mmCIF file of all heavy atoms in Angstrom:
data_model
loop_
_atom_site.group_PDB
_atom_site.id
_atom_site.type_symbol
_atom_site.label_atom_id
_atom_site.label_comp_id
_atom_site.label_asym_id
_atom_site.label_seq_id
_atom_site.Cartn_x
_atom_site.Cartn_y
_atom_site.Cartn_z
ATOM 1 N N ALA Q 23 177.535 20.804 141.969
ATOM 2 C CA ALA Q 23 178.420 19.877 141.257
ATOM 3 C C ALA Q 23 177.787 18.497 141.128
ATOM 4 O O ALA Q 23 178.130 17.731 140.226
ATOM 5 C CB ALA Q 23 179.763 19.766 141.967
ATOM 6 N N GLY Q 24 176.868 18.185 142.027
ATOM 7 C CA GLY Q 24 176.199 16.894 141.960
ATOM 8 C C GLY Q 24 177.135 15.717 142.140
ATOM 9 O O GLY Q 24 176.904 14.641 141.601
ATOM 10 N N VAL Q 25 178.190 15.923 142.933
ATOM 11 C CA VAL Q 25 179.170 14.860 143.164
ATOM 12 C C VAL Q 25 178.515 13.728 143.941
ATOM 13 O O VAL Q 25 177.757 13.956 144.875
ATOM 14 C CB VAL Q 25 180.372 15.419 143.965
ATOM 15 C CG1 VAL Q 25 181.343 14.321 144.322
ATOM 16 C CG2 VAL Q 25 181.045 16.515 143.183
ATOM 17 N N ARG Q 26 178.805 12.512 143.537
ATOM 18 C CA ARG Q 26 178.314 11.358 144.279
ATOM 19 C C ARG Q 26 179.369 10.987 145.301
ATOM 20 O O ARG Q 26 180.480 10.615 144.953
ATOM 21 C CB ARG Q 26 178.059 10.193 143.341
ATOM 22 C CG ARG Q 26 176.837 10.434 142.456
ATOM 23 C CD ARG Q 26 176.295 9.190 141.887
ATOM 24 N NE ARG Q 26 175.122 8.501 142.234
ATOM 25 C CZ ARG Q 26 174.001 8.927 142.781
ATOM 26 N NH1 ARG Q 26 173.898 10.138 143.196
ATOM 27 N NH2 ARG Q 26 172.977 8.146 142.960
ATOM 28 N N LEU Q 27 178.999 11.114 146.560
ATOM 29 C CA LEU Q 27 179.927 10.833 147.647
ATOM 30 C C LEU Q 27 179.850 9.361 148.011
ATOM 31 O O LEU Q 27 178.788 8.845 148.333
ATOM 32 C CB LEU Q 27 179.591 11.695 148.866
ATOM 33 C CG LEU Q 27 179.636 13.204 148.640
ATOM 34 C CD1 LEU Q 27 179.139 13.943 149.866
ATOM 35 C CD2 LEU Q 27 181.030 13.646 148.275
ATOM 36 N N THR Q 28 180.993 8.689 147.933
ATOM 37 C CA THR Q 28 181.057 7.286 148.326
ATOM 38 C C THR Q 28 181.960 7.185 149.545
ATOM 39 O O THR Q 28 182.866 7.991 149.739
ATOM 40 C CB THR Q 28 181.624 6.416 147.187
ATOM 41 O OG1 THR Q 28 182.917 6.891 146.848
ATOM 42 C CG2 THR Q 28 180.717 6.457 145.966
ATOM 43 N N GLY Q 29 181.702 6.219 150.365
ATOM 44 C CA GLY Q 29 182.494 6.072 151.581
ATOM 45 C C GLY Q 29 182.127 7.163 152.578
ATOM 46 O O GLY Q 29 181.007 7.667 152.596
ATOM 47 N N ASP Q 30 183.087 7.547 153.393
ATOM 48 C CA ASP Q 30 182.869 8.576 154.412
ATOM 49 C C ASP Q 30 182.868 9.949 153.754
ATOM 50 O O ASP Q 30 183.903 10.407 153.261
ATOM 51 C CB ASP Q 30 183.981 8.472 155.463
ATOM 52 C CG ASP Q 30 183.806 9.443 156.617
ATOM 53 O OD1 ASP Q 30 182.782 10.155 156.667
ATOM 54 O OD2 ASP Q 30 184.694 9.470 157.480
ATOM 55 N N PRO Q 31 181.745 10.665 153.750
ATOM 56 C CA PRO Q 31 181.676 11.967 153.096
ATOM 57 C C PRO Q 31 182.300 13.098 153.917
ATOM 58 O O PRO Q 31 182.555 14.177 153.393
ATOM 59 C CB PRO Q 31 180.173 12.205 152.926
ATOM 60 C CG PRO Q 31 179.560 11.463 154.065
ATOM 61 C CD PRO Q 31 180.435 10.250 154.271
ATOM 62 N N VAL Q 32 182.554 12.864 155.206
ATOM 63 C CA VAL Q 32 183.025 13.929 156.096
ATOM 64 C C VAL Q 32 184.335 14.550 155.616
ATOM 65 O O VAL Q 32 184.427 15.781 155.505
ATOM 66 C CB VAL Q 32 183.118 13.419 157.555
ATOM 67 C CG1 VAL Q 32 183.754 14.459 158.462
ATOM 68 C CG2 VAL Q 32 181.729 13.049 158.067
ATOM 69 N N PRO Q 33 185.375 13.769 155.311
ATOM 70 C CA PRO Q 33 186.613 14.402 154.845
ATOM 71 C C PRO Q 33 186.422 15.217 153.566
ATOM 72 O O PRO Q 33 187.015 16.281 153.409
ATOM 73 C CB PRO Q 33 187.563 13.222 154.595
ATOM 74 C CG PRO Q 33 187.032 12.123 155.431
ATOM 75 C CD PRO Q 33 185.544 12.323 155.469
ATOM 76 N N TYR Q 34 185.585 14.726 152.668
ATOM 77 C CA TYR Q 34 185.338 15.429 151.412
ATOM 78 C C TYR Q 34 184.688 16.785 151.667
ATOM 79 O O TYR Q 34 185.076 17.799 151.078
ATOM 80 C CB TYR Q 34 184.461 14.565 150.502
ATOM 81 C CG TYR Q 34 184.353 15.095 149.105
ATOM 82 C CD1 TYR Q 34 185.346 14.834 148.159
ATOM 83 C CD2 TYR Q 34 183.267 15.875 148.713
ATOM 84 C CE1 TYR Q 34 185.253 15.334 146.872
ATOM 85 C CE2 TYR Q 34 183.166 16.382 147.423
ATOM 86 C CZ TYR Q 34 184.162 16.102 146.514
ATOM 87 O OH TYR Q 34 184.072 16.610 145.245
ATOM 88 N N VAL Q 35 183.721 16.826 152.576
ATOM 89 C CA VAL Q 35 183.030 18.076 152.898
ATOM 90 C C VAL Q 35 183.987 19.030 153.625
ATOM 91 O O VAL Q 35 184.013 20.229 153.338
ATOM 92 C CB VAL Q 35 181.744 17.808 153.707
ATOM 93 C CG1 VAL Q 35 181.125 19.105 154.181
ATOM 94 C CG2 VAL Q 35 180.745 17.012 152.858
ATOM 95 N N PHE Q 36 184.783 18.510 154.560
ATOM 96 C CA PHE Q 36 185.757 19.363 155.239
ATOM 97 C C PHE Q 36 186.761 19.933 154.241
ATOM 98 O O PHE Q 36 187.156 21.100 154.340
ATOM 99 C CB PHE Q 36 186.468 18.619 156.370
ATOM 100 C CG PHE Q 36 185.783 18.773 157.692
ATOM 101 C CD1 PHE Q 36 184.753 17.925 158.055
ATOM 102 C CD2 PHE Q 36 186.149 19.780 158.575
ATOM 103 C CE1 PHE Q 36 184.105 18.065 159.276
ATOM 104 C CE2 PHE Q 36 185.510 19.938 159.789
ATOM 105 C CZ PHE Q 36 184.483 19.081 160.146
ATOM 106 N N ALA Q 37 187.180 19.128 153.278
ATOM 107 C CA ALA Q 37 188.098 19.624 152.250
ATOM 108 C C ALA Q 37 187.439 20.735 151.440
ATOM 109 O O ALA Q 37 188.081 21.744 151.116
ATOM 110 C CB ALA Q 37 188.533 18.481 151.327
ATOM 111 N N ALA Q 38 186.174 20.569 151.123
ATOM 112 C CA ALA Q 38 185.451 21.599 150.362
ATOM 113 C C ALA Q 38 185.364 22.897 151.156
ATOM 114 O O ALA Q 38 185.563 23.991 150.603
ATOM 115 C CB ALA Q 38 184.059 21.094 149.984
ATOM 116 N N VAL Q 39 185.075 22.807 152.446
ATOM 117 C CA VAL Q 39 185.001 24.007 153.285
ATOM 118 C C VAL Q 39 186.376 24.642 153.422
ATOM 119 O O VAL Q 39 186.515 25.865 153.336
ATOM 120 C CB VAL Q 39 184.380 23.676 154.661
ATOM 121 C CG1 VAL Q 39 184.545 24.836 155.635
ATOM 122 C CG2 VAL Q 39 182.908 23.328 154.500
ATOM 123 N N ARG Q 40 187.396 23.831 153.615
ATOM 124 C CA ARG Q 40 188.761 24.362 153.709
ATOM 125 C C ARG Q 40 189.123 25.105 152.419
ATOM 126 O O ARG Q 40 189.646 26.213 152.451
ATOM 127 C CB ARG Q 40 189.760 23.244 153.956
ATOM 128 C CG ARG Q 40 191.186 23.740 154.044
ATOM 129 C CD ARG Q 40 192.185 22.578 154.089
ATOM 130 N NE ARG Q 40 193.518 23.104 154.072
ATOM 131 C CZ ARG Q 40 194.184 23.433 152.971
ATOM 132 N NH1 ARG Q 40 193.617 23.299 151.778
ATOM 133 N NH2 ARG Q 40 195.412 23.908 153.031
ATOM 134 N N ASN Q 41 188.839 24.505 151.279
ATOM 135 C CA ASN Q 41 189.145 25.146 149.997
ATOM 136 C C ASN Q 41 188.372 26.447 149.823
ATOM 137 O O ASN Q 41 188.913 27.442 149.326
ATOM 138 C CB ASN Q 41 188.851 24.186 148.841
ATOM 139 C CG ASN Q 41 189.800 23.017 148.814
ATOM 140 O OD1 ASN Q 41 190.892 23.057 149.392
ATOM 141 N ND2 ASN Q 41 189.396 21.937 148.176
ATOM 142 N N ALA Q 42 187.110 26.453 150.230
ATOM 143 C CA ALA Q 42 186.309 27.683 150.129
ATOM 144 C C ALA Q 42 186.873 28.769 151.042
ATOM 145 O O ALA Q 42 186.899 29.947 150.674
ATOM 146 C CB ALA Q 42 184.849 27.388 150.473
ATOM 147 N N ALA Q 43 187.341 28.382 152.226
ATOM 148 C CA ALA Q 43 187.932 29.362 153.144
ATOM 149 C C ALA Q 43 189.241 29.902 152.589
ATOM 150 O O ALA Q 43 189.519 31.107 152.672
ATOM 151 C CB ALA Q 43 188.160 28.725 154.515
ATOM 152 N N VAL Q 44 190.039 29.046 151.995
ATOM 153 C CA VAL Q 44 191.286 29.492 151.370
ATOM 154 C C VAL Q 44 190.968 30.436 150.215
ATOM 155 O O VAL Q 44 191.644 31.460 150.035
ATOM 156 C CB VAL Q 44 192.139 28.282 150.909
ATOM 157 C CG1 VAL Q 44 193.289 28.719 150.026
ATOM 158 C CG2 VAL Q 44 192.659 27.506 152.124
ATOM 159 N N ASP Q 45 189.936 30.127 149.446
ATOM 160 C CA ASP Q 45 189.511 31.026 148.371
ATOM 161 C C ASP Q 45 189.105 32.386 148.936
ATOM 162 O O ASP Q 45 189.419 33.423 148.346
ATOM 163 C CB ASP Q 45 188.335 30.429 147.585
ATOM 164 C CG ASP Q 45 188.749 29.277 146.701
ATOM 165 O OD1 ASP Q 45 189.966 29.071 146.498
ATOM 166 O OD2 ASP Q 45 187.849 28.552 146.224
ATOM 167 N N GLN Q 46 188.403 32.391 150.065
ATOM 168 C CA GLN Q 46 188.035 33.653 150.717
ATOM 169 C C GLN Q 46 189.296 34.463 151.042
ATOM 170 O O GLN Q 46 189.325 35.671 150.843
ATOM 171 C CB GLN Q 46 187.265 33.392 152.019
ATOM 172 C CG GLN Q 46 185.864 32.912 151.840
ATOM 173 C CD GLN Q 46 184.916 34.045 151.513
ATOM 174 O OE1 GLN Q 46 185.168 35.205 151.808
ATOM 175 N NE2 GLN Q 46 183.816 33.699 150.878
ATOM 176 N N MET Q 47 190.312 33.795 151.549
ATOM 177 C CA MET Q 47 191.561 34.481 151.908
ATOM 178 C C MET Q 47 192.277 35.024 150.665
ATOM 179 O O MET Q 47 192.863 36.092 150.711
ATOM 180 C CB MET Q 47 192.486 33.546 152.686
ATOM 181 C CG MET Q 47 191.961 33.191 154.067
ATOM 182 S SD MET Q 47 191.661 34.619 155.110
ATOM 183 C CE MET Q 47 193.330 35.165 155.379
ATOM 184 N N ARG Q 48 192.226 34.289 149.590
ATOM 185 C CA ARG Q 48 192.871 34.750 148.355
ATOM 186 C C ARG Q 48 192.204 36.002 147.825
ATOM 187 O O ARG Q 48 192.864 36.873 147.256
ATOM 188 C CB ARG Q 48 192.831 33.648 147.300
ATOM 189 C CG ARG Q 48 193.789 32.537 147.582
ATOM 190 C CD ARG Q 48 193.800 31.519 146.451
ATOM 191 N NE ARG Q 48 194.659 30.409 146.806
ATOM 192 C CZ ARG Q 48 194.316 29.139 146.691
ATOM 193 N NH1 ARG Q 48 193.136 28.808 146.196
ATOM 194 N NH2 ARG Q 48 195.139 28.185 147.057
ATOM 195 N N ARG Q 49 190.894 36.079 148.012
ATOM 196 C CA ARG Q 49 190.166 37.257 147.556
ATOM 197 C C ARG Q 49 190.397 38.463 148.463
ATOM 198 O O ARG Q 49 190.180 39.599 148.061
ATOM 199 C CB ARG Q 49 188.664 36.955 147.479
ATOM 200 C CG ARG Q 49 188.308 36.051 146.315
ATOM 201 C CD ARG Q 49 186.806 35.995 146.099
ATOM 202 N NE ARG Q 49 186.096 35.307 147.157
ATOM 203 C CZ ARG Q 49 185.770 34.015 147.119
ATOM 204 N NH1 ARG Q 49 186.108 33.272 146.099
ATOM 205 N NH2 ARG Q 49 185.101 33.478 148.123
ATOM 206 N N GLN Q 50 190.829 38.187 149.660
ATOM 207 C CA GLN Q 50 191.062 39.261 150.637
ATOM 208 C C GLN Q 50 192.425 39.908 150.380
ATOM 209 O O GLN Q 50 193.368 39.260 149.972
ATOM 210 C CB GLN Q 50 191.035 38.652 152.041
ATOM 211 C CG GLN Q 50 191.153 39.628 153.156
ATOM 212 C CD GLN Q 50 191.108 38.908 154.503
ATOM 213 O OE1 GLN Q 50 190.921 37.722 154.581
ATOM 214 N NE2 GLN Q 50 191.314 39.674 155.542
ATOM 215 N N ASN Q 51 192.504 41.176 150.649
ATOM 216 C CA ASN Q 51 193.772 41.903 150.509
ATOM 217 C C ASN Q 51 194.810 41.273 151.430
ATOM 218 O O ASN Q 51 194.581 41.116 152.615
ATOM 219 C CB ASN Q 51 193.542 43.376 150.870
ATOM 220 C CG ASN Q 51 194.794 44.200 150.734
ATOM 221 O OD1 ASN Q 51 195.907 43.694 150.728
ATOM 222 N ND2 ASN Q 51 194.612 45.495 150.618
ATOM 223 N N GLY Q 52 195.994 40.959 150.924
ATOM 224 C CA GLY Q 52 197.056 40.332 151.698
ATOM 225 C C GLY Q 52 197.454 41.107 152.928
ATOM 226 O O GLY Q 52 197.757 40.536 153.972
ATOM 227 N N ALA Q 53 197.464 42.408 152.867
ATOM 228 C CA ALA Q 53 197.876 43.222 154.009
ATOM 229 C C ALA Q 53 196.864 43.162 155.136
ATOM 230 O O ALA Q 53 197.214 43.348 156.302
ATOM 231 C CB ALA Q 53 198.064 44.668 153.577
ATOM 232 N N ALA Q 54 195.612 42.890 154.809
ATOM 233 C CA ALA Q 54 194.567 42.897 155.830
ATOM 234 C C ALA Q 54 194.286 41.501 156.381
ATOM 235 O O ALA Q 54 193.401 41.332 157.192
ATOM 236 C CB ALA Q 54 193.284 43.477 155.242
ATOM 237 N N ARG Q 55 195.029 40.517 155.966
ATOM 238 C CA ARG Q 55 194.733 39.138 156.322
ATOM 239 C C ARG Q 55 194.600 38.882 157.806
ATOM 240 O O ARG Q 55 193.714 38.188 158.232
ATOM 241 C CB ARG Q 55 195.787 38.195 155.775
ATOM 242 C CG ARG Q 55 195.540 37.852 154.357
ATOM 243 C CD ARG Q 55 196.435 36.748 153.935
ATOM 244 N NE ARG Q 55 196.010 36.365 152.608
ATOM 245 C CZ ARG Q 55 196.540 35.407 151.917
ATOM 246 N NH1 ARG Q 55 197.521 34.721 152.411
ATOM 247 N NH2 ARG Q 55 196.094 35.119 150.730
ATOM 248 N N ARG Q 56 195.501 39.404 158.596
ATOM 249 C CA ARG Q 56 195.478 39.063 160.015
ATOM 250 C C ARG Q 56 195.106 40.249 160.904
ATOM 251 O O ARG Q 56 195.451 40.282 162.059
ATOM 252 C CB ARG Q 56 196.812 38.483 160.428
ATOM 253 C CG ARG Q 56 197.103 37.204 159.687
ATOM 254 C CD ARG Q 56 198.144 36.391 160.364
ATOM 255 N NE ARG Q 56 198.447 35.246 159.549
ATOM 256 C CZ ARG Q 56 198.270 34.004 159.917
ATOM 257 N NH1 ARG Q 56 197.798 33.735 161.090
ATOM 258 N NH2 ARG Q 56 198.572 33.016 159.122
ATOM 259 N N LEU Q 57 194.408 41.218 160.345
ATOM 260 C CA LEU Q 57 194.025 42.372 161.139
ATOM 261 C C LEU Q 57 193.059 42.016 162.255
ATOM 262 O O LEU Q 57 193.134 42.542 163.349
ATOM 263 C CB LEU Q 57 193.380 43.441 160.253
ATOM 264 C CG LEU Q 57 194.328 44.237 159.391
ATOM 265 C CD1 LEU Q 57 193.547 45.273 158.598
ATOM 266 C CD2 LEU Q 57 195.397 44.917 160.220
ATOM 267 N N GLU Q 58 192.144 41.138 161.979
ATOM 268 C CA GLU Q 58 191.130 40.801 162.964
ATOM 269 C C GLU Q 58 191.277 39.346 163.349
ATOM 270 O O GLU Q 58 191.264 38.466 162.519
ATOM 271 C CB GLU Q 58 189.739 41.031 162.367
ATOM 272 C CG GLU Q 58 188.641 40.780 163.341
ATOM 273 C CD GLU Q 58 187.293 41.027 162.718
ATOM 274 O OE1 GLU Q 58 187.213 41.703 161.702
ATOM 275 O OE2 GLU Q 58 186.319 40.535 163.276
ATOM 276 N N SER Q 59 191.448 39.104 164.612
ATOM 277 C CA SER Q 59 191.541 37.750 165.116
ATOM 278 C C SER Q 59 190.342 37.513 166.015
ATOM 279 O O SER Q 59 190.035 38.327 166.873
ATOM 280 C CB SER Q 59 192.838 37.580 165.901
ATOM 281 O OG SER Q 59 192.941 36.261 166.369
ATOM 282 N N VAL Q 60 189.658 36.408 165.805
ATOM 283 C CA VAL Q 60 188.479 36.124 166.602
ATOM 284 C C VAL Q 60 188.654 34.796 167.316
ATOM 285 O O VAL Q 60 189.429 33.950 166.906
ATOM 286 C CB VAL Q 60 187.207 36.080 165.729
ATOM 287 C CG1 VAL Q 60 186.912 37.432 165.141
ATOM 288 C CG2 VAL Q 60 187.332 35.044 164.642
ATOM 289 N N SER Q 61 187.919 34.642 168.386
ATOM 290 C CA SER Q 61 187.990 33.417 169.165
ATOM 291 C C SER Q 61 187.214 32.313 168.474
ATOM 292 O O SER Q 61 186.144 32.541 167.925
ATOM 293 C CB SER Q 61 187.413 33.664 170.555
ATOM 294 O OG SER Q 61 187.419 32.465 171.290
ATOM 295 N N ILE Q 62 187.750 31.112 168.536
ATOM 296 C CA ILE Q 62 187.032 29.964 167.998
ATOM 297 C C ILE Q 62 186.398 29.167 169.121
ATOM 298 O O ILE Q 62 185.984 28.046 168.938
ATOM 299 C CB ILE Q 62 187.965 29.069 167.159
ATOM 300 C CG1 ILE Q 62 189.128 28.547 167.998
ATOM 301 C CG2 ILE Q 62 188.450 29.797 165.941
ATOM 302 C CD1 ILE Q 62 190.002 27.556 167.261
ATOM 303 N N TYR Q 63 186.314 29.778 170.304
ATOM 304 C CA TYR Q 63 185.732 29.117 171.464
ATOM 305 C C TYR Q 63 184.265 29.481 171.578
ATOM 306 O O TYR Q 63 183.867 30.577 171.261
ATOM 307 C CB TYR Q 63 186.477 29.521 172.738
ATOM 308 C CG TYR Q 63 187.938 29.240 172.611
ATOM 309 C CD1 TYR Q 63 188.837 30.260 172.328
ATOM 310 C CD2 TYR Q 63 188.419 27.949 172.711
ATOM 311 C CE1 TYR Q 63 190.179 29.996 172.178
ATOM 312 C CE2 TYR Q 63 189.765 27.690 172.553
ATOM 313 C CZ TYR Q 63 190.631 28.715 172.290
ATOM 314 O OH TYR Q 63 191.949 28.447 172.129
ATOM 315 N N ASN Q 64 183.491 28.559 172.116
ATOM 316 C CA ASN Q 64 182.049 28.775 172.208
ATOM 317 C C ASN Q 64 181.656 29.763 173.289
ATOM 318 O O ASN Q 64 181.106 30.799 173.007
ATOM 319 C CB ASN Q 64 181.335 27.441 172.439
ATOM 320 C CG ASN Q 64 181.370 26.568 171.229
ATOM 321 O OD1 ASN Q 64 181.442 27.082 170.123
ATOM 322 N ND2 ASN Q 64 181.335 25.277 171.406
ATOM 323 N N GLY Q 65 181.904 29.465 174.536
ATOM 324 C CA GLY Q 65 181.410 30.332 175.583
ATOM 325 C C GLY Q 65 182.332 30.363 176.772
ATOM 326 O O GLY Q 65 183.259 29.593 176.882
ATOM 327 N N LEU Q 66 182.076 31.293 177.673
ATOM 328 C CA LEU Q 66 182.840 31.447 178.890
ATOM 329 C C LEU Q 66 181.926 31.166 180.080
ATOM 330 O O LEU Q 66 180.712 31.294 179.978
ATOM 331 C CB LEU Q 66 183.407 32.875 178.979
ATOM 332 C CG LEU Q 66 184.405 33.261 177.896
ATOM 333 C CD1 LEU Q 66 184.734 34.747 178.009
ATOM 334 C CD2 LEU Q 66 185.662 32.436 178.002
ATOM 335 N N PRO Q 67 182.512 30.814 181.238
ATOM 336 C CA PRO Q 67 181.686 30.576 182.428
ATOM 337 C C PRO Q 67 180.934 31.831 182.841
ATOM 338 O O PRO Q 67 181.315 32.942 182.489
ATOM 339 C CB PRO Q 67 182.707 30.186 183.498
ATOM 340 C CG PRO Q 67 183.990 29.964 182.807
ATOM 341 C CD PRO Q 67 183.914 30.615 181.471
ATOM 342 N N THR Q 68 179.887 31.650 183.638
ATOM 343 C CA THR Q 68 179.094 32.800 184.075
ATOM 344 C C THR Q 68 179.627 33.418 185.363
ATOM 345 O O THR Q 68 179.401 34.591 185.612
ATOM 346 C CB THR Q 68 177.623 32.399 184.271
ATOM 347 O OG1 THR Q 68 177.558 31.294 185.165
ATOM 348 C CG2 THR Q 68 176.988 32.019 182.941
ATOM 349 N N ASP Q 69 180.325 32.656 186.208
ATOM 350 C CA ASP Q 69 180.907 33.193 187.435
ATOM 351 C C ASP Q 69 181.972 34.222 187.062
ATOM 352 O O ASP Q 69 182.876 33.919 186.280
ATOM 353 C CB ASP Q 69 181.515 32.051 188.259
ATOM 354 C CG ASP Q 69 182.285 32.559 189.454
ATOM 355 O OD1 ASP Q 69 181.719 33.330 190.246
ATOM 356 O OD2 ASP Q 69 183.467 32.165 189.595
ATOM 357 N N PRO Q 70 181.906 35.466 187.604
ATOM 358 C CA PRO Q 70 182.842 36.521 187.202
ATOM 359 C C PRO Q 70 184.319 36.151 187.386
ATOM 360 O O PRO Q 70 185.127 36.411 186.504
ATOM 361 C CB PRO Q 70 182.464 37.711 188.080
ATOM 362 C CG PRO Q 70 181.036 37.471 188.439
ATOM 363 C CD PRO Q 70 180.883 35.992 188.519
#
């Protein structure tokens, strides 16, 4: 798109990613939307 970002570009980029993710969901079958849930956490401790 060649958009010229003025000011803080972070919100604009986050909005673009959010919109792309919403587009991904729209393309996905509605019935399968929440079939797979994944963790958004990085890692777990090593002690058992």
Side-chain angles (χ1 to χ4, degrees):
V25 175
R26 289 200 107 26
L27 301 174
T28 58
D30 183 4
V32 173
Y34 190 82
V35 173
F36 269 86
V39 169
R40 179 188 176 275
N41 292 340
V44 169
D45 287 348
Q46 287 281 337
M47 292 302 291
R48 286 185 184 132
R49 287 191 291 266
Q50 184 180 356
N51 181 340
R55 278 190 173 182
R56 298 199 185 242
L57 284 181
E58 183 180 341
S59 181
V60 295
S61 177
I62 60 174
Y63 305 101
N64 289 332
L66 296 173
T68 55
D69 173 54

